[in-house]
Amino acid sequence: RITALLADSGDSSVPALDHQSQALYAGTSGGGAFRSLDGGGTWRPLVALAERTVYTLVRDPRVSQTLYAGTAGGVYKSADRGERWERLDGSPGAAALSLAIDPAGAGILYVGTPDGVAKRLDEGRRWSGDTSQLSGGAIVSLAVDPWNSDTVYAGRFGGATYRSRDGGLHWEDAGRLRP
């Protein structure tokens, strides 16, 4: 079962070539991660990622070769488009269910866990986050406002949404999605 998809838009340092990338990444529940270099025609496993359940995949907008994987065992980082992976030290919780990168280029990564939201600071040297404000359900979706990166949104399994206007220090109810 596919649990995550990521389209690699190419090397952002060469914008004219970005549209030529056909790389796709897929995370699965129990089967690991895969990469396709031909738009999904063929897939090969990313065997260097030891975790078999991959909930989410994101690409660093500042460094196009850098990928992050949220897995059942925490957060992993690849600096070479998935060839090698390392678990981020101090990665919060047993599972990283959702990820979002601060687009302002501050080296900040938000992680949704079964217990709330954690924030990776200083390119991973420090973690912070008071998950008690969001206790009571898994955070399965995260988004950082591209125009104001202090504003972060979190979605809980079940439909509740939350907003932080101070980079994840405090959270407020942002409503409930009722399909």
Side-chain angles (χ1 to χ4, degrees), residues 67-89:
L67 305 174
Y68 293 92
T71 74
V75 180
Y76 286 77
K77 176 183 179 180
S78 172
D80 56 10
R81 286 193 159 100
E83 292 299 319
R84 293 181 302 271
W85 294 86
E86 64 178 316
R87 187 175 190 279
L88 296 182
D89 290 337

Side-chain angles (χ1 to χ4, degrees), residues 137-149:
I139 300 298
V140 295
S141 184
L142 288 167
V144 180
D145 186 326
W147 293 277
N148 178 1
S149 63

Side-chain angles (χ1 to χ4, degrees), residues 120-157:
R120 177 179 157 253
L121 306 164
D122 301 333
E123 297 291 334
R125 291 182 285 280
R126 292 187 297 146
W127 288 87
S128 73
D130 179 6
T131 60
S132 64
Q133 296 179 59
L134 296 177
S135 62
I139 300 298
V140 295
S141 184
L142 288 167
V144 180
D145 186 326
W147 293 277
N148 178 1
S149 63
D150 282 338
T151 302
V152 183
Y153 296 91
R156 178 176 313 231
F157 184 77

Side-chain angles (χ1 to χ4, degrees), residues 4-16:
L5 285 174
L6 173 66
D8 188 341
S9 59
D11 184 357
S12 60
S13 66
V14 187

Side-chain angles (χ1 to χ4, degrees), residues 156-177:
R156 178 176 313 231
F157 184 77
T161 56
Y162 302 91
R163 176 179 43 237
S164 172
R165 297 176 194 259
D166 56 10
L169 293 175
H170 302 94
W171 295 89
E172 61 190 10
D173 189 350
R176 177 170 292 278
L177 177 63

Side-chain angles (χ1 to χ4, degrees), residues 30-33 46-54 71 76 85-86:
L46 296 175
V47 295
L49 182 58
E51 287 293 329
R52 306 314 305 154
T53 298
V54 179
T71 74
Y76 286 77
W85 294 86
E86 64 178 316

